Amino acid sequence: MKVSRSFCITISFTTLLSLIPCELLSPVTPLQPGYGEEGSYFVQFDSVPEVVTGNSTARVRYQCPKACRVGLEVVFTTSHKTEQLVFRRTWTSVKNLGYPRVRMVPLKLSPSVVYKQDLSHTHPSDGREVTIRAWLADIDTHASESLHPRDGEYHGLLAHTLKLLRMVPLAQRPAQARAVCTSWGTELLWQLAEGRIQQCPYESDAVDMMEFPMVSTGEYYGVIRVFQPFVNKELETARYHNMEHPRMAISVWIYLLNWCSGMRCAIVKHVNEFNSFGTPLIMLTNTGNIVIQVQLASKMDQAFTAYTSLPVLTWIRLDCYVEYSQVTLQVNYKTVSEEKVAAVHVYNFNEDILYNDTSGYLVIGGSRFMAGFHGYVGPMRYYRLGTAEVINPLSPSKTLEDLDEIHWECEEVKLMIEGFMDELRVHRDILSDICHSYYSAQMRRYGQMTCPQVLDWDSQRKYWPTLKLMMAQEDLVSGEWDSVAALRLGRRLFEDAVGRMARGEPVAGADPALSPLALLNVSSCLGHQQAALLLATVHLAGFGVPVDLQQGHVYSLLGAAADDRMALLHLGYKHMYGLDGFPRDPAMAYSYYVNIARQTSVDKDRIGDSQYITESILISDERELQTQMGETDDVIQYIKLQAERGDIESQKHLAKVLFWGLKGVPKDVGGAVKWFAQSAMQMTDAKAVYDYSILLLKGQGVKKNLTLGLRLMEKAAAMGSIEALNGLGWYYSTVGKDHRKALSYFQEAAQNGNSDAIFNVGVYHLRGHPIRNETAAFECFLNASYGGHVDGAIEAAYYLSVGNLPGVTRDPERAVMLLKSISEQNGHLGYTNRKALQAYLQGSREEALLRFAMLAETGMGMAQSNAGHLCEELNHSSACQWRYYNHSLYNSAPHSSGLLKMGDWYGQNLDLLTDGRSLAMEMYSKAALAGSPQGIYNLAVLIEEGQDIPLSILDTMRLPAETRSEKRAIVKHLMQRCVELEEEQEEDVLSPCALSLLRVQVQMAWRDLTHNPLHLALAYGILGGLLIIVAYVIGQIILGHGEALSARRRDGAFAGSGDAAPVHPSDRRDGGEMDGASQREMGSRRVNPSREATQPGVTRRRRDRDRERALREGIDTIVTVAGVCLCALSTMLLSHLL
């Protein structure tokens, strides 16, 4: 049943005119005979407007022999409502009784009835009939002003009359005069919306509940759907009448991997608001039969069994029809030989079935009330109002057919390996010295082969790498072949395939049967589902093969069907954000996230080598990588030394590192317990005492000792440990069975903010201590989830997903976000993250990329940044880099490295993106808010280049209002913030931000200086005077140098005239001294001082010396004056700079 028109179509109501005799259209005949006679009641209209207008008056004539009440009403009928009151006026008649009276009544009607649609009246009323009516009533019967005749009572009054008025069509109505002027923006919006035809939303009772395959893992998790009442009145009326006389149909495709492990498991179930099963409940039994349960109109639950014996490993369509008291089940599927099978099962309950789909919610798969089946759910269509024939084809057909094909291939692989192991075991027994029975030997020799096709040539060639690896593993060949051995072989095949891909072998290979992809396929078939996730990663990201979303979907579903943690997280992440062709469906994402969250809750109490805390290490940060050096790290060695010396903080830290395997150190639970004990037995640190006591109480890594554990727990609580208070509550609630005492401890710890205690208080609210309060429990669970409590997040997400708690609105997206953060804490993800880090530290970049890419496909933000960095480091395609950096932005708190890379990518691809610069600025601003100095610097550079900064980014960056008017002021403020961040991160002082800030400050100071006329004139004067003086000094130096050069030339000529004889070299002794004779001869040739003044050369040298002295003094003066000028200019500049 559909509403196919784009506008509302409703059934018109019978008009009032058809229910009233024609003579009533004239003035009403009084109830007592004798019109106008004394003692009679009558009421009539003397004048009434023919058309409904804004300013009109009705003239009413009436007569009352006794005191009475007179009423005047205007009602109109629309296509949705009958007799809607728009005007009423009543009064009493107690004077001049028995005589006719007249009253003028102004009709003040609603503007929606009188005027056309405009800005003030966006929804005018388009009535079909408008009726004005008057009546007389006994004043004793209707004594109060608030009382008036109810619908259907007008014929029992003393007198009444009515008249039909004509409604003015909407297009012909006048516009109401406005009392005030509207703003320009409001007027514009109205003009844009004026004349728009209001359309009802398209609605259909046929709802596609599932458009993409869902994995049902056979546990208590499924997809929750909620139905709302129809908006369309016709559909909603039909649904309402459908409750006790139901007609509905549901069609669903299922793919069974196994029958139920218990007696029954759920396929589809309806849970009402009372948390009990409603109609329908479709279940599967452990023998492959279908059970359908309904709730009857008498509130009784009844069911019937359809003996179907459904096959496994094939797609089956179940069509269930409910009509009144009868249920019909149609089953359709194909056998292995492609033979179609169709069966019909009909059952009549002999009582109408109660059906209300808006009550509660519908669950596909498992829920906390019943486990689901193990397999897949295909397309599902729900007909809320029933149908004669369902239309529900198998889609997407290629994906579902390939999924079926892979499962059959896996069955072939298992059968082949089991046969091969049997042959190896027989061959090993023959070669050994074990004595065998003659008859058993003859049976092996001449007996009939049960599976001769298992080890044919094609199978051996196809699976030769697997068989070769099996023969090389002595522990696999010698032991019994079971699921554990198969899983061990699958793990080794996975590691072998990863090693081949890391060494650069082609992923697909020249021979597909010998390629890493083939090994991964066999590995996933043997139960190691990380191989299926790696296959999905390879096809979705295009590692060595073309991108194939359809194959990626198949392997994603295959891995999740085995309940693999990473595969579940991968599917939940893809459905949450609608990536890689997975439809965005928060409800389906919730079904996967709640599964991995519940496994995380169980895993956190298990100690094993396959679990590690997920450490968020960015491989592009050398300082973070240094923390993963393991036991060889200097810090770890120093902590060990301090711990051995008795430092309690070092002992606690070392115990935590060894217990969880942090910082690249291998796990050593025994060594960790030793340091826990040593730090606790000092009895000086409450945290150390609590840590050791909880190990003793739970028996983790040490023999359980309740007595000592309780004593230490009490000691820690007395020392002020809030965790110990919660621990005491846990002890008395589980071991001591004293719930009153336990609750008091929980409440005390919860008041101090302990998330474990807050969760435990919520549990007690659910149990009814002191009273059951589900709303209070939800608040406790939600508050505990904010503190990272795993179980608190699971419980709070459940209430958000179903929305059946008063005051809690259904919000599956919020539920998923609560679960996402705690699911990524799973220790098995931490183990994979640790192996990826070790591969990177050991230099195996390709292997690290593969492992980080697997984690990135699960939505882990740090792994996505690391995968993007490795794609860049290994020169992979830009699509690889863009994929993981872009995916990292979907996280609630993306790392700044991904934001910076995406900002760079947007800025470099301006030819492809029209809004590339604005997107780059948005990325840089988010990186800045995440604490990245580089983000602030890049944002400032874009602004300096002339890019207009949007107001939203200014608000995001929380820039002061006084700095937003000018770009330089914005840049200065950003650079100052960048320098502050660099100082907090202890980076170099001479960083790009610091240098840029200095440059901007100098530019702004010079601009301020040049914009002041007085300072500008003074600066120019100083510079001009300085230039003149410098020019003068340079000129004097040049002139003085020329004169000195000419004087030296003249002195040389004077010396060559013979007045002085040169000293012969032979007259000097060794060492450059002259002998006595030479000195006496030289002395006789000396010039007399009294004659020196008369010699021209001496006078010239004296003038040169005086000139040089004056020049030096002038230069010193100029340098002093220049220094003073520069100092004054610098002072002026600094005054503006500071």
Side-chain angles (χ1 to χ4, degrees):
M1 181 175 182
K2 299 182 179 180
V3 177
S4 58
R5 301 282 301 270
S6 61
F7 53 87
C8 292
I9 301 177
T10 59
I11 301 174
S12 62
F13 293 95
T14 304
T15 63
L16 188 61
L17 180 61
S18 62
L19 300 177
I20 302 175
C22 295
E23 59 269 22
L24 292 180
L25 294 179
S26 59
V28 174
T29 303
L31 296 180
Q32 297 182 8
Y35 170 71
E37 295 181 1
E38 185 177 356
S40 64
Y41 291 92
F42 76 88
V43 60
Q44 68 180 21
F45 293 118
D46 287 349
S47 63
V48 176
E50 298 293 333
V51 180
V52 177
T53 59
N55 298 317
S56 58
T57 304
R59 180 184 174 93
V60 184
R61 183 181 297 273
Y62 60 93
Q63 176 179 303
C64 294
K66 295 190 303 182
C68 65
R69 182 174 301 281
V70 187
L72 180 67
E73 296 175 340
V74 178
V75 296
F76 75 103
T77 300
T78 67
S79 58
H80 302 285
K81 191 171 183 180
T82 60
E83 294 193 1
Q84 182 176 353
L85 184 67
V86 295
F87 176 80
R88 172 183 289 130
R89 178 74 181 275
T90 61
W91 65 92
T92 59
S93 177
V94 294
K95 297 180 180 181
N96 299 324
L97 299 176
Y99 296 95
R101 302 191 63 183
V102 176
R103 184 155 187 156
M104 304 293 292
V105 182
L107 300 178
K108 297 180 179 179
L109 303 180
S110 172
S112 62
V113 180
V114 178
Y115 301 106
K116 67 179 182 180
Q117 184 182 17
D118 61 5
L119 189 59
S120 303
H121 314 292
T122 56
H123 300 287
S125 299
D126 186 14
R128 298 193 174 188
E129 293 98 8
V130 178
T131 305
I132 181 170
R133 59 195 182 191
W135 45 265
L136 301 180
D138 188 358
I139 196 171
D140 295 330
T141 304
H142 301 275
S144 174
E145 289 286 345
S146 61
L147 295 178
H148 55 84
R150 295 186 296 271
D151 296 340
E153 292 185 353
Y154 288 97
H155 291 283
L157 298 173
L158 298 175
H160 63 278
T161 186
L162 59 86
K163 184 177 181 180
L164 294 179
L165 306 182
R166 182 167 56 86
M167 283 285 288
V168 179
L170 288 175
Q172 299 177 10
R173 294 181 188 178
Q176 186 179 18
R178 299 180 186 176
V180 294
C181 295
T182 57
S183 63
W184 177 86
T186 305
E187 186 71 24
L188 177 61
L189 290 176
W190 164 247
Q191 291 178 3
L192 292 175
E194 186 179 11
R196 182 179 301 169
I197 299 175
Q198 298 295 330
Q199 297 180 350
C200 293
Y202 174 81
E203 274 191 297
S204 172
D205 73 316
V207 182
D208 289 321
M209 306 285 290
M210 199 75 62
E211 298 180 357
F212 190 85
M214 184 205 80
V215 176
S216 178
T217 58
E219 299 185 38
Y220 296 87
Y221 320 108
V223 177
I224 298 173
R225 303 295 191 195
V226 176
F227 293 107
Q228 299 296 333
F230 289 107
V231 176
N232 183 273
K233 297 297 183 181
E234 289 186 30
L235 294 177
E236 178 59 19
T237 302
R239 187 197 68 81
Y240 183 79
H241 291 295
N242 208 34
M243 291 183 184
E244 296 185 358
H245 306 284
R247 291 187 71 252
M248 58 82 64
I250 184 171
S251 175
V252 58
W253 287 89
I254 61 173
Y255 188 93
L256 300 178
L257 296 177
N258 291 296
W259 289 339
C260 298
S261 57
M263 290 292 296
R264 296 181 183 88
C265 53
I267 299 175
V268 177
K269 53 183 172 293
H270 177 234
V271 181
N272 60 27
E273 68 269 25
F274 306 108
N275 287 331
S276 61
F277 292 126
T279 304
L281 172 58
I282 305 176
M283 298 172 286
L284 178 72
T285 68
N286 55 0
T287 57
N289 299 322
I290 296 295
V291 177
I292 298 180
Q293 177 178 308
V294 298
Q295 188 176 30
L296 303 178
S298 60
K299 306 295 184 179
M300 296 292 293
D301 294 333
Q302 289 192 11
F304 78 95
T305 301
Y307 295 94
T308 55
S309 297
L310 297 181
V312 297
L313 301 183
T314 187
W315 283 104
I316 307 167
R317 195 175 98 169
L318 303 177
D319 299 335
C320 179
Y321 300 85
V322 175
E323 188 167 3
Y324 307 127
S325 62
Q326 180 175 292
V327 175
T328 302
L329 176 65
Q330 296 180 359
V331 181
N332 297 273
Y333 60 88
K334 288 183 179 181
T335 62
V336 179
S337 59
E338 295 297 319
E339 180 183 356
K340 291 184 179 181
V341 176
V344 179
H345 305 266
V346 181
Y347 188 86
N348 196 316
F349 290 96
N350 298 320
E351 182 182 347
D352 281 349
I353 297 170
L354 182 63
Y355 165 68
N356 183 8
D357 56 9
T358 61
S359 170
Y361 52 91
L362 196 76
V363 184
I364 307 166
S367 70
R368 59 174 51 194
F369 303 107
M370 183 184 293
F373 71 96
H374 188 199
Y376 306 95
V377 179
M380 177 177 173
R381 175 163 287 191
Y382 198 90
Y383 294 86
R384 300 178 66 181
L385 301 180
T387 184
E389 181 182 2
V390 299
I391 300 175
N392 186 25
L394 186 66
S395 65
S397 58
K398 186 66 169 62
T399 300
L400 301 183
E401 290 169 1
D402 286 354
L403 191 62
D404 175 57
E405 183 179 347
I406 287 179
H407 275 290
W408 281 105
E409 287 182 0
C410 287
E411 293 298 316
E412 179 186 351
V413 168
K414 295 175 184 177
L415 184 63
M416 182 273 303
I417 293 178
E418 288 177 3
F420 183 75
M421 292 300 298
D422 289 341
E423 292 293 334
L424 282 180
R425 192 175 297 108
V426 171
H427 184 67
R428 183 178 66 246
D429 293 344
I430 293 175
L431 294 180
S432 63
D433 295 333
I434 301 175
C435 295
H436 296 279
S437 167
Y438 171 80
Y439 297 103
S440 61
Q442 295 299 314
M443 177 65 69
R444 284 196 300 269
R445 183 174 182 181
Y446 300 107
Q448 183 179 0
M449 295 292 293
T450 56
C451 297
Q453 77 281 6
V454 171
L455 295 177
D456 58 8
W457 172 251
D458 292 336
S459 297
Q460 293 188 46
R461 182 180 181 279
K462 182 177 181 181
Y463 301 109
W464 171 244
T466 303
L467 301 178
K468 182 179 179 182
L469 181 62
M470 288 177 60
M471 290 186 293
Q473 305 294 327
E474 182 62 28
D475 58 334
L476 294 176
V477 176
S478 59
E480 292 294 328
W481 182 256
D482 53 12
S483 60
V484 177
L487 182 61
R488 189 162 60 247
L489 174 60
R491 187 178 296 110
R492 293 176 184 176
L493 289 173
F494 172 78
E495 295 297 334
D496 185 54
V498 170
R500 291 188 181 188
M501 296 169 68
R503 290 191 296 270
E505 290 189 19
V507 177
D511 187 351
L514 306 177
S515 66
L517 285 184
L519 292 180
L520 291 175
N521 271 306
V522 176
S523 175
S524 67
C525 291
L526 294 175
H528 187 67
Q529 294 307 325
Q530 281 196 19
L533 178 59
L534 182 54
L535 285 168
T537 302
V538 166
H539 287 94
L540 293 175
F543 285 123
V545 296
V547 174
D548 190 342
L549 298 183
Q550 185 264 329
Q551 282 295 313
H553 296 169
V554 170
Y555 288 114
S556 300
L557 295 168
L558 184 66
D563 211 25
D564 180 70
R565 297 167 180 82
M566 292 179 62
L568 291 169
L569 200 60
H570 162 69
L571 275 180
Y573 170 69
K574 298 298 182 180
H575 280 295
M576 179 59 192
Y577 298 105
L579 302 175
D580 294 332
F582 292 87
R584 189 177 187 277
D585 190 344
M588 189 179 290
Y590 168 80
S591 69
Y592 297 124
Y593 271 114
V594 70
N595 191 342
I596 178 65
R598 185 64 69 183
Q599 293 190 57
T600 302
S601 175
V602 176
D603 291 341
K604 65 184 176 64
D605 294 328
R606 295 175 177 174
I607 302 175
D609 294 334
S610 61
Q611 290 195 76
Y612 286 86
I613 291 180
T614 303
E615 298 180 86
S616 298
I617 304 297
L618 193 66
I619 59 176
S620 59
D621 191 334
E622 291 294 334
R623 291 179 299 182
E624 292 185 4
L625 278 179
Q626 290 299 321
T627 63
Q628 299 296 308
M629 300 307 294
E631 295 179 339
T632 60
D633 187 22
D634 294 338
V635 176
I636 298 297
Q637 293 296 324
Y638 176 76
I639 292 174
K640 280 187 177 180
L641 178 62
Q642 291 297 103
E644 292 170 354
R645 291 178 177 177
D647 182 66
I648 191 169
E649 292 297 329
S650 298
Q651 291 174 347
K652 290 194 302 181
H653 186 78
L654 184 59
K656 183 179 179 181
V657 168
L658 293 174
F659 191 83
W660 296 109
L662 302 176
K663 301 185 181 301
V665 177
K667 269 190 176 183
D668 185 1
V669 178
V673 170
K674 181 189 73 172
W675 292 114
F676 275 127
Q678 288 191 20
S679 62
M681 290 310 168
Q682 297 185 37
M683 296 295 180
T684 58
D685 189 280
K687 183 68 169 64
V689 176
Y690 166 76
D691 288 339
Y692 187 51
S693 67
I694 201 68
L695 292 179
L696 291 172
L697 290 174
K698 291 186 175 182
Q700 290 183 332
V702 65
K703 184 178 180 180
K704 183 181 291 188
N705 190 334
L706 297 179
T707 304
L708 179 58
L710 178 60
R711 187 167 69 248
L712 291 177
M713 187 73 73
E714 292 173 342
K715 176 66 175 177
M719 296 171 66
S721 172
I722 306 302
E723 293 85 353
L725 290 174
N726 176 73
L728 288 174
W730 172 83
Y731 175 83
Y732 285 107
S733 65
T734 57
V735 181
K737 302 299 181 182
D738 188 345
H739 296 291
R740 184 182 299 273
K741 196 171 185 179
L743 181 58
S744 65
Y745 279 121
F746 286 144
Q747 289 175 339
E748 185 179 356
Q751 291 172 359
N752 289 276
N754 183 268
S755 60
D756 290 331
I758 295 173
F759 171 79
N760 291 328
V761 171
V763 172
Y764 269 81
H765 279 304
L766 282 182
R767 292 178 179 175
H769 296 282
I771 59 174
R772 179 177 171 83
N773 190 334
E774 204 168 1
T775 302
F778 166 73
E779 294 295 335
C780 290
F781 296 148
L782 188 62
N783 292 330
S785 69
Y786 294 151
H789 197 278
V790 177
D791 295 311
I794 293 172
E795 295 299 324
Y798 165 74
Y799 287 108
L800 290 171
S801 65
V802 298
N804 62 347
L805 191 64
V808 179
T809 305
R810 184 172 185 265
D811 192 349
E813 292 190 24
R814 187 181 178 192
V816 169
M817 296 311 298
L818 287 178
L819 296 174
K820 184 177 186 296
S821 58
I822 58 121
S823 298
E824 292 175 354
Q825 301 172 13
N826 190 276
H828 292 272
L829 274 72
Y831 175 76
T832 304
N833 183 67
R834 182 184 180 90
K835 294 195 71 173
L837 285 172
Q838 290 177 345
Y840 183 82
L841 291 173
Q842 294 169 3
S844 181
R845 298 293 194 264
E846 290 288 351
E847 180 183 350
L849 173 58
L850 291 174
R851 298 189 186 276
F852 275 128
M854 290 171 58
L855 291 170
E857 295 297 329
T858 66
M860 293 182 62
M862 191 60 67
Q864 290 167 340
S865 297
N866 288 339
H869 175 77
L870 284 170
C871 288
E872 188 176 3
E873 183 178 342
L874 296 172
N875 294 321
H876 281 259
S877 64
S878 59
C880 175
Q881 305 171 31
W882 181 88
R883 172 184 177 82
Y884 291 114
Y885 282 135
N886 183 50
H887 284 186
S888 69
L889 305 184
Y890 287 95
N891 294 286
S892 57
H895 195 272
S896 59
S897 61
L899 293 166
L900 291 173
K901 290 295 183 180
M902 288 307 300
D904 295 341
W905 188 86
Y906 287 133
Q908 294 169 2
N909 293 271
L910 297 177
D911 53 337
L912 302 177
L913 301 169
T914 56
D915 55 346
R917 287 190 180 274
S918 60
L919 291 173
M921 294 187 75
E922 182 181 354
M923 294 297 104
Y924 292 147
S925 63
K926 289 181 179 180
L929 290 176
S932 170
Q934 186 65 46
I936 300 179
Y937 180 81
N938 293 351
L939 186 62
V941 169
L942 284 179
I943 297 173
E944 279 193 309
E945 292 177 353
Q947 179 67 27
D948 293 330
I949 182 168
L951 183 61
S952 59
I953 293 182
L954 294 176
D955 295 335
T956 302
M957 296 299 300
R958 303 182 184 92
L959 292 176
E962 59 272 12
T963 63
R964 298 188 179 190
S965 58
E966 188 181 358
K967 288 186 177 181
R968 286 189 181 275
I970 296 175
V971 172
K972 178 182 177 182
H973 185 83
L974 292 176
M975 289 301 180
Q976 288 174 342
R977 189 178 298 181
C978 180
V979 172
E980 293 172 358
L981 283 176
E982 289 175 337
E983 291 175 352
E984 293 176 1
Q985 299 175 6
E986 299 180 356
E987 295 186 2
D988 297 335
V989 178
L990 292 178
S991 62
C993 288
L995 296 175
S996 298
L997 176 61
L998 178 61
R999 173 181 57 80
V1000 171
Q1001 289 177 332
V1002 171
Q1003 290 176 349
M1004 294 182 67
W1006 179 254
R1007 186 202 59 183
D1008 294 340
L1009 176 65
T1010 56
H1011 279 69
N1012 190 319
L1014 179 61
H1015 290 176
L1016 184 61
L1018 182 60
Y1020 282 146
I1022 293 174
L1023 290 175
L1026 183 63
L1027 290 175
I1028 293 174
I1029 295 173
V1030 170
Y1032 172 76
V1033 170
I1034 293 175
Q1036 290 296 323
I1037 291 174
I1038 293 174
L1039 292 174
H1041 181 71
E1043 292 180 0
L1045 183 61
S1046 60
R1048 290 192 190 96
R1049 290 174 179 172
R1050 287 195 296 270
D1051 290 344
F1054 176 75
S1057 61
D1059 291 341
V1063 180
H1064 197 274
S1066 61
D1067 295 336
R1068 295 184 179 272
R1069 297 180 180 177
D1070 296 338
E1073 296 182 357
M1074 293 184 292
D1075 56 9
S1078 299
Q1079 290 181 0
R1080 287 192 296 271
E1081 181 180 359
M1082 190 66 183
S1084 64
R1085 295 180 180 180
R1086 286 177 182 173
V1087 180
N1088 191 348
S1090 61
R1091 298 171 55 192
E1092 182 179 1
T1094 61
Q1095 296 181 3
V1098 175
T1099 304
R1100 223 177 274 112
R1101 284 194 295 274
R1102 183 181 298 166
R1103 284 200 304 270
D1104 291 341
R1105 285 196 299 269
D1106 294 341
R1107 190 180 297 109
E1108 290 177 1
R1109 186 182 303 111
L1111 186 60
R1112 282 195 297 271
E1113 292 176 355
I1115 292 174
D1116 293 340
T1117 303
I1118 295 305
V1119 171
T1120 303
V1121 173
V1124 172
C1125 294
L1126 291 176
C1127 184
L1129 188 62
S1130 300
T1131 302
M1132 294 169 58
L1133 187 62
L1134 287 174
S1135 65
H1136 290 278
L1137 186 62
L1138 301 178

